[in-house]
Amino acid sequence: MRELNKQDMIDVLYGCAVLGTGGGGPLEEGLSLMKKHFDKGETLKLIKLDELPDDEYVVTPYGCGAPSAGGKNPKFADLSLAEEASSVLAVQALEGFLGKKIYAVGSTELGGSNTAEALHAALEMGVPLLDADPAGRSVPELQHSTYYVKDVPIYPMGVATKFGEKIVLQNVQGDLRAEDIVRAIAVASDNMVGVADHANVGRVIKEALIPDMITYAQEIGVTLREAKEKGLDVAKAIADAKDGKLLFKGVVTEFPWETRDGFNFGEIHLKGEAEFTGETYKIWLKNENIMAYRNGEIDVMAPDLICMIGENGDPLTTPNFDLGQRMTVIALPSPEIWTTPEGLACFGPKHFGFDVEYKPFER
């Protein structure tokens, strides 16, 4: 076990925002959620998988939906907001159902906001955070999880809206059904709900997760911070440090997108600059960046990570940028489990309707 201080947690969230591949929620929301903990000087206990007792329960809290680009929906204007984060309410609902205190929480994916939900829940409930993750990046659908690949049931699961309504799903007929149910609740709740799922004991959890991913995110966050302090190219520094590749530098010329069925779908079109002058780049996204094309040809595809860094060195998330904005696109390698036949069936390009075989990007 080790303790994370304020700077450690900030580095974790910056690294998670890079690994979010455009999704995982805005970093600003994650930092805002953590502000009261930072102001109090709180530290967070981080435990490795082998430190988790076999018989103690772990749950995974997070937000689910399609983050808004801004503005308020008048449909929900008369509803009062809960004082606590919806993901914490979801954990509390599960504790009531299980009749047992949760020993630790884990992240559902690596993202600037969703990982903050796990940090916040751990601090609010006085429990450790697992140094592990079931995605190793950010992902658009609930079944995009190593829990799913390893046949660990998603239920029982708690769902809570930002208006304070709490639901416990005692069982569901598989992760795809859970995705449909939770997504429907999100659509009815201003496109966002808190979820706590995969409530299970340590002996099961330890066999299902990708180890040391919070530490991995922290290392990326430290690389980002130190590169900014030294005036270096942040994107190149991260790619060099983590066996990645600088893919493209350019300016956003088009960004057609829409929120549909609880997801953000869209494309990011870039016009090349510097050494990429005269070239084009396109990214197709479903909440997260899934497919990238250079000059009309496939360049990088999921499950490899397509990450965006702004000209100020900070990670970018969709839909939180504008036409004319400059960015650098880098690729980082997928966690190994996603490149197995089972992993690709769950989270490869064919799952998203692209009739191509997965090919790792060339480093």
Side-chain angles (χ1 to χ4, degrees), residues 46-218:
L46 184 72
I47 62 171
K48 290 185 171 292
L49 281 177
D50 60 11
E51 297 176 293
L52 178 63
D54 283 348
D55 297 323
E56 296 288 353
Y57 269 88
V58 174
V59 300
T60 305
Y62 56 95
C64 177
S68 171
K72 295 182 178 179
N73 189 329
K75 177 180 178 181
F76 305 102
D78 295 333
L79 299 179
S80 58
L81 297 177
E83 294 183 1
E84 184 52 271
S86 56
S87 58
V88 174
L89 294 176
V91 175
Q92 292 171 349
L94 265 186
E95 284 189 326
F97 172 74
L98 295 170
K100 185 176 177 65
K101 175 74 175 175
I102 299 303
Y103 182 86
V105 299
S107 63
T108 185
E109 63 179 3
L110 300 179
S113 179
N114 265 343
T115 305
E117 296 271 7
L119 271 64
H120 171 66
L123 289 168
E124 285 289 291
M125 305 184 73
V127 300
L129 176 73
L130 282 182
D131 190 1
D133 187 77
R137 49 165 296 152
S138 192
V139 291
E141 301 171 31
L142 298 190
Q143 75 274 14
H144 295 152
S145 164
T146 56
Y147 284 126
Y148 180 78
V149 176
K150 296 285 189 175
D151 291 324
V152 177
I154 197 171
Y155 61 85
M157 58 192 304
V159 183
T161 74
K162 63 183 178 182
F163 311 114
E165 300 135 336
K166 294 187 285 187
I167 304 163
V168 172
L169 297 175
Q170 299 182 41
N171 68 294
V172 291
Q173 294 186 29
D175 287 29
L176 298 177
R177 175 63 177 160
E179 165 69 32
D180 289 342
I181 293 171
V182 172
R183 196 66 57 174
I185 298 172
V187 170
S189 307
D190 205 16
N191 275 324
M192 186 60 63
V193 290
V195 182
D197 61 23
H198 292 99
N200 219 314
V201 292
R203 72 172 68 90
V204 175
I205 297 295
K206 285 187 280 192
E207 298 299 320
L209 297 181
I210 306 169
D212 304 322
M213 290 308 301
I214 299 298
T215 294
Y216 179 76
Q218 183 182 1

Side-chain angles (χ1 to χ4, degrees), residues 66 183 187 191 258-266 284 286-287:
R183 196 66 57 174
V187 170
N191 275 324
E258 63 175 335
T259 299
R260 185 175 75 248
D261 301 327
F263 296 96
N264 289 335
F265 291 89
W284 183 88
K286 181 178 182 180
N287 280 12

